[in-house]
Amino acid sequence: MSTSETKNDCTREIEVEIPAEVVARETGVVVERFQKHARLPGFRKGKVPASVVRQRFPEDIRSEVVEALIPRYFRQEVEKRGLQPVSQPRVSDLHLAEGEPLRFKASFEIMPEVQVSGYEELRAEKTDTSVSDQEVEEALGRLREQHATYSAVDDRELCDGDFAQVALVGTPQEGEGKPVTMDDVMVEIGGANTVRDFSDNLRGARPGEERQFDVTYPNDFSDQRLANKKLAYTVTVKGIKQKVLPELNDDFAKEAGDFQSLDELRNKVREQLEAEKKHAAEHAAKDKLVEELVRRNDFPVPEALVDRQVDVRLERGLRALAAQGMRAEDMKKMDFSRLRAGQREAALREVKASMILEQIADKEKIEVADEEVSQEIEALAKQMQQTAEAVRARLTRDGALDRIRNRIRNEKTLDFLYRRSA
């Protein structure tokens, strides 16, 4: 027997009563299991009377009966009512006494009714994706930088624009972390990406000279291993080099990509820039479409889904920090409560967007073929340098295949909206 109560559009609470005879039968099963394994003074193993087991282990027996019956009867009740919980049930008002039914309340979240409107008339913004001659020349300039060579300079003092070939040792102050050691690294004096302390302290040095100085890195320094740290550096100048850029001509075009002429290279660069602009414009337009869909459609969102998306965002951020070199011990010092709170608004928006796109996909009958999922798995396998079979097995075991299928479906739905509105 059960009753139910609707607390809000996402939360349900049901009262469940499990018949006394079911409770008695399950209790007997648990007691028999205890009899087989219990070791008590004066009794041989497996020969402890049921009455003694009940007397000695009442709380353990009660706990196992509850753990066995509540999940089973909770599932039966929600299935009977056609409800699909998206959160673990929170059990309260548990009543269990000998000879009586087991009663409890369970509150949980379900998916709300989502009626999407206003997507048919959405229009994507038109963006100019043409490429100017100046942009082409700037891109060629960057290509020249990539093919630059470095020539040694006769003995003289380092000045702005030079590249110092150095060996260095950086010792963290206050004993934080390991020393930074590099035997051969190039430092551009006065360079836009060079830490100013290096330029200021190496300017004027000659090959063979040693300089010592401290560097305090800011909190937002690109290399998280050095962020907010102070290091004492000993730097030895091994040589001075100057950057030599190749001439922009047909020979450079052949070296840069086996093009027959500089004009052919220019055309290719223009095509690539146009493709990049179109991709960026499409990405921005899709973001605005999603933003507008979320604005137009207001509905409650289960907190459990928002919490899961916060987890996804945090995990993604921590992986990025690890890739930048942040140590595990430094990550443990982070204020995760504050980080979670900071991610909640974006996570809520992402969950709402996903729910809206799923509804549109249902209306427009957008589906994902097995072949599309297989292609995604093959791409993941290549990235992870594993076999597709191994990746599929792991995703199946983790229950992640449905998430991949849903993501592909949402991407197809957003692409459908963009193509229709463009």
Side-chain angles (χ1 to χ4, degrees), residues 65-115:
V65 169
V66 166
E67 287 178 10
L69 292 180
I70 285 183
R72 186 192 314 164
Y73 276 80
F74 171 75
R75 283 195 302 273
Q76 288 180 9
E77 290 300 333
V78 294
E79 287 173 4
K80 189 186 301 181
R81 297 175 182 280
L83 300 173
Q84 293 184 327
V86 295
S87 68
Q88 291 296 321
R90 186 170 59 83
V91 175
S92 61
D93 296 350
L94 177 65
H95 173 80
L96 176 59
E98 188 172 354
E100 296 183 17
L102 189 162
R103 303 183 188 90
F104 66 93
K105 290 182 180 179
S107 60
F108 53 93
E109 289 185 298
I110 63 168
M111 293 293 283
E113 287 289 332
V114 180
Q115 296 295 331

Side-chain angles (χ1 to χ4, degrees), residues 376-395:
E376 184 75 7
I377 291 172
E378 287 171 9
L380 283 171
K382 188 174 181 181
Q383 182 182 341
M384 300 167 67
Q385 297 183 335
Q386 296 180 9
T387 64
E389 292 76 13
V391 172
R392 182 182 287 275
R394 180 174 58 79
L395 293 173

Side-chain angles (χ1 to χ4, degrees), residues 173-186:
Q173 301 300 286
E174 302 173 4
E176 290 189 8
K178 298 178 181 178
V180 176
T181 303
M182 294 184 179
D183 293 328
D184 194 357
V185 63
M186 301 278 273

Side-chain angles (χ1 to χ4, degrees), residues 165-220:
Q165 188 176 6
V166 304
L168 61 81
V169 176
T171 305
Q173 301 300 286
E174 302 173 4
E176 290 189 8
K178 298 178 181 178
V180 176
T181 303
M182 294 184 179
D183 293 328
D184 194 357
V185 63
M186 301 278 273
V187 179
E188 183 182 6
I189 306 303
N193 296 319
T194 303
V195 174
R196 183 173 177 177
D197 291 316
F198 275 86
S199 293
D200 290 347
N201 286 282
L202 294 178
R203 192 181 287 113
R206 288 179 173 275
E209 194 171 337
E210 181 180 279
R211 294 283 176 96
Q212 294 183 336
F213 53 91
D214 295 341
V215 176
T216 300
Y217 293 94
N219 290 331
D220 59 353

Side-chain angles (χ1 to χ4, degrees), residues 124 144 166 179 181-182 185 232 259 264 293 297 308 317 340 396:
R144 289 177 72 199
V166 304
T181 303
M182 294 184 179
V185 63
F259 295 98
E264 188 180 338
L293 283 169
N297 295 276
R308 285 177 209 162
R340 290 190 68 84
T396 302

Side-chain angles (χ1 to χ4, degrees), residues 54-69:
R54 289 174 182 268
Q55 184 179 10
R56 292 293 298 271
F57 306 106
E59 290 304 317
D60 294 320
I61 294 170
R62 171 190 170 93
S63 177
E64 291 207 14
V65 169
V66 166
E67 287 178 10
L69 292 180

